[in-house]
Amino acid sequence: GENVEQHPSTLSVQEGDSAVIKCTYSDSASNYFPWYKQELGKRPQLIIDIRSNVGEKKDQRIAVTLNKTAKHFSLHITETQPEDSAVYFCAASKGINYQLIWGAGTKLIIKP
Amino acid sequence: EADIYQTPRYLVIGTGKKITLECSQTMGHDKMYWYQQDPGMELHLIHYSYGVNSTEKGDLSSESTVSRIRTEHFPLTLESARPSHTSQYLCAAQQGGGDQPQHFGDGTRLSIL
């Protein structure tokens, strides 16, 4: 079945620098790739998602890129701020009759 | 406001007790899910439902059971709680198919003494 690997497990960056989290999926039929942010003690919340007919999507300081050939997608956060500190999860799905398969999460630490 | 609600938020209870964790959504979404998550760690799917009277077990073996008698309600029951059940339980709802986002509740933090 589908497998999603997420790296790194922990990422520490200086405030103002960029952060990149990468996920690799195994099933080439996957076509939906969301990213969730979970702050300490809170629910996971969708921050951005991308479908397989698009190579890149941006929303202010966050962007997601998708490389279907290599079967990986990445979350990019620019000009990081303290409020970006959280655990980030990627996921992949093959579509309407399939579940989301989750990555193991990345703890992002923003150093002041 | 349309949302997904979980109660209780926190529960500390003794071994052997029967527990029901409540999850309700006002979004009218067909699909609902239960995840088990240790704080900040991986999400493990334990049960899901694609509609009324539909329930399936997830990837993580669990001694819990679920029911889906109404679209908006998806309770999870532990017949006899054990310390190994100590964790956070997250409920989620999703409209349409797997290519749509899941929306999560605030979770229930369960501690079994």
Side-chain angles (χ1 to χ4, degrees):
Chain A
E2 172 74 286
N3 183 48
V4 176
E5 293 190 359
Q6 184 171 348
H7 297 282
S9 56
T10 304
L11 177 61
S12 183
V13 302
Q14 205 70 37
E15 182 179 348
D17 288 350
S18 295
V20 181
I21 303 169
K22 183 176 174 179
C23 287
T24 303
Y25 59 98
S26 60
D27 194 330
S28 57
S30 293
N31 58 15
Y32 176 63
F33 309 92
W35 284 91
Y36 284 76
K37 175 184 180 182
Q38 187 178 27
E39 295 177 65
L40 189 62
K42 296 196 175 179
R43 66 175 83 179
Q45 292 200 307
L46 179 74
I47 54 172
I48 196 166
D49 58 7
I50 193 168
R51 288 179 170 77
S52 58
N53 57 346
V54 175
E56 182 176 0
K57 185 175 178 181
K58 279 187 178 180
D59 183 2
Q60 299 181 10
R61 294 186 299 108
I62 61 171
V64 56
T65 58
L66 172 65
N67 184 326
K68 288 186 289 184
T69 303
K71 291 189 286 187
H72 67 71
F73 57 110
S74 299
L75 178 71
H76 304 255
I77 306 174
T78 58
E79 299 172 11
T80 53
Q81 299 170 4
E83 55 264 35
D84 295 328
S85 292
V87 178
Y88 291 80
F89 294 95
C90 66
S93 172
K94 291 193 287 187
I96 191 164
N97 292 320
Y98 297 91
Q99 299 157 25
L100 282 175
I101 306 300
W102 295 86
T106 296
K107 183 176 182 179
L108 177 62
I109 300 165
I110 307 300
K111 297 182 289 186
Chain B
E1 181 182 336
D3 205 349
I4 181 163
Y5 302 94
Q6 290 187 243
T7 57
R9 284 296 316 278
Y10 304 93
L11 180 61
V12 181
I13 200 164
T15 297
K17 301 290 186 182
K18 180 178 179 178
I19 301 165
T20 297
L21 307 185
E22 301 287 350
C23 177
S24 295
Q25 51 113 352
T26 57
M27 299 175 286
H29 289 353
D30 292 329
K31 296 185 176 178
M32 295 188 76
Y33 304 84
W34 275 104
Y35 291 92
Q36 185 175 339
Q37 183 194 35
D38 292 327
M41 303 297 284
E42 196 168 353
L43 292 159
H44 296 285
L45 180 67
I46 50 175
H47 293 283
Y48 61 99
S49 168
Y50 283 177
V52 171
N53 295 325
S54 153
T55 61
E56 300 288 344
K57 291 194 173 184
D59 302 322
L60 181 67
S61 174
S62 173
E63 292 154 347
S64 58
T65 58
V66 292
S67 63
R68 188 89 184 274
I69 299 171
R70 303 196 319 263
T71 298
E72 61 271 23
H73 197 213
F74 190 40
L76 181 144
T77 298
L78 282 164
E79 289 294 332
S80 180
R82 296 209 304 266
S84 60
H85 295 140
T86 294
S87 189
Q88 174 169 251
Y89 293 83
L90 286 164
C91 183
Q94 179 185 44
Q95 181 64 4
D99 60 348
Q100 298 297 321
Q102 293 183 12
H103 303 279
F104 286 85
D106 284 326
T108 294
R109 282 258 177 104
L110 180 62
S111 292
I112 310 300
L113 304 178

